[in-house]
């Protein structure tokens, strides 16, 4: 039960949300820069429809999780946060917004 509880705490934490948003920011930034030289289709396939990405910034290779990986973790995080939110009528809009993001 301790393992399940720690996994639940991880997927409902604000720290994970911040890290995911930063990784999504860098993925979109590097994908946009890649698109300038290689076109939209290749950028979409290599960055946003992949499990991992290795972006080359000059001689330095930067490994990043791809779009599929980040969005799967983001969906798990949304489900964890929906479980964590107190279920009262005053929080109904918040629950509805989270559920809408999961459906999309």
């Amino acid at each position: 039960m301790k393992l399940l509880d720690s996994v639940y705490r991880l997927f409902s934490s604000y720290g994970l949300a911040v890290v995911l948003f930063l990784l999504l920011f860098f993925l979109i930034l590097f994908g946009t820069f890649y698109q300038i030289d290689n076109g939209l289709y290749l950028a979409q396939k290599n960055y946003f429809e992949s499990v991992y990405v290795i972006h080359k910034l000059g001689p330095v290779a930067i490994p990043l999780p791809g779009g599929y990986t980040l969005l799967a973790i983001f969906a798990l995080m949304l489900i964890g946060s929906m479980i964590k939110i107190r279920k009262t009528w005053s929080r109904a809009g918040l629950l509805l917004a989270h559920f809408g993001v999961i459906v999309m």
Side-chain angles (χ1 to χ4, degrees), residues 6-94:
S6 63
V7 169
Y8 166 71
R9 264 193 254 124
L10 173 70
F11 282 112
S12 62
S13 68
Y14 291 115
L16 179 65
V18 170
V19 169
L20 278 177
F21 282 126
L22 282 173
L23 287 172
L24 280 169
F25 169 75
F26 285 118
L27 183 73
I28 292 170
L29 180 72
F30 292 148
T32 303
F33 289 151
Y34 184 82
Q35 178 185 345
I36 293 170
D37 297 328
N38 300 308
L40 177 63
Y41 182 74
L42 280 176
Q44 181 179 349
K45 287 292 180 192
N46 292 339
Y47 283 81
F48 307 115
E49 293 179 358
S50 64
V51 178
Y52 69 93
V53 175
I54 296 178
H55 181 78
K56 296 192 189 282
L57 208 76
V60 178
I62 301 172
L64 287 172
Y68 285 158
T69 305
L70 289 177
L71 291 180
I73 295 171
F74 191 69
L76 289 173
M77 189 193 74
L78 280 173
I79 292 169
S81 66
M82 282 186 64
I83 294 170
K84 190 176 185 177
I85 295 172
R86 286 181 280 157
K87 278 52 167 202
T88 61
W89 282 109
S90 64
R91 306 257 183 203
L94 186 63

